[in-house]
């Protein structure tokens, strides 16, 4: 499982782990029924606390992306990925609306906004 996290981002590590696993599920790299690494294994692989991985897994389970079986592990849930994708698209639309409203308050041009997005995107990779 290829998960990228960064200590330089303002996003908490558990959220980065959660978001990366969601990305893997939505891209099809992780499919329904696939096992996730144990919390201990993932924590060791990423060099983070097991408490951090536990929080990420709990959030994923609460959102319906995964389910846990006591003594067996954590698995990607059988779910309607289109429904999950729609939920994420709605969230993105809300962020874009907020971004556009904020940029209008300071008369930021579309070109400046695009440049800002490109710079931030480069910093994330």
């Amino acid at each position: 499982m290829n998960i990228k996290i960064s200590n330089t981002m303002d996003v908490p590590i558990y959220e980065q782990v959660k978001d990366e696993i969601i990305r893997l599920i939505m891209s099809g790299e992780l499919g329904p029924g696939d096992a996730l690494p144990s919390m201990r294994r993932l924590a060791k692989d990423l060099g983070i606390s097991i408490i951090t991985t536990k929080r990420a897994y709990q959030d994923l389970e609460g959102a319906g992306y995964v389910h846990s079986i006591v003594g067996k592990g954590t698995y990607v849930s059988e779910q309607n990925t289109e429904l999950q994708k729609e939920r994420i698209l709605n969230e993105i639309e809300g962020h874009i609306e907020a971004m556009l409203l904020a940029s209008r308050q300071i008369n930021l041009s579309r070109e400046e906004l695009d440049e800002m997005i490109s710079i931030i995107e480069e910093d994330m990779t």
Side-chain angles (χ1 to χ4, degrees):
M1 201 163 62
N2 186 20
I3 293 180
K4 300 173 194 163
I5 58 171
S6 170
N7 290 328
T8 60
M9 291 178 62
D10 288 338
V11 178
I13 299 294
Y14 79 91
E15 283 188 28
Q16 292 181 52
V17 172
K18 177 187 75 173
D19 291 345
E20 283 289 293
I21 293 173
I22 290 171
R23 180 186 61 77
L24 292 170
I25 292 169
M26 298 309 292
S27 71
E29 291 181 56
L30 285 175
D34 286 349
L36 269 57
S38 70
M39 286 183 251
R40 183 172 292 151
R41 174 87 242 157
L42 184 61
K44 184 177 180 187
D45 289 349
L46 296 176
I48 60 177
S49 163
I50 193 167
I51 294 169
T52 301
T53 56
K54 181 179 181 181
R55 176 125 187 236
Y57 277 30
Q58 286 174 332
D59 285 1
L60 288 164
E61 189 163 11
Y65 287 100
V66 301
H67 64 277
S68 297
I69 300 173
V70 178
K72 296 227 177 206
T74 303
Y75 302 88
V76 176
S77 295
E78 300 282 338
Q79 62 184 346
N80 182 339
T81 54
E82 285 303 312
L83 184 60
Q84 293 290 351
K85 193 177 279 188
E86 280 299 317
R87 187 172 19 179
I88 292 170
L89 286 172
N90 283 336
E91 185 177 325
I92 291 169
E93 287 173 10
H95 290 297
I96 291 171
E97 286 177 13
M99 178 183 63
L100 290 171
L101 286 172
S103 67
R104 285 183 186 149
Q105 290 177 346
I106 60 168
N107 294 321
L108 192 67
S109 71
R110 178 61 189 255
E111 292 77 23
E112 292 170 314
L113 190 58
D114 288 343
E115 182 179 355
M116 186 182 292
I117 290 169
S118 294
I119 291 168
I120 292 169
E121 186 176 37
E122 284 177 21
D123 286 346
M124 292 177 68
T125 57

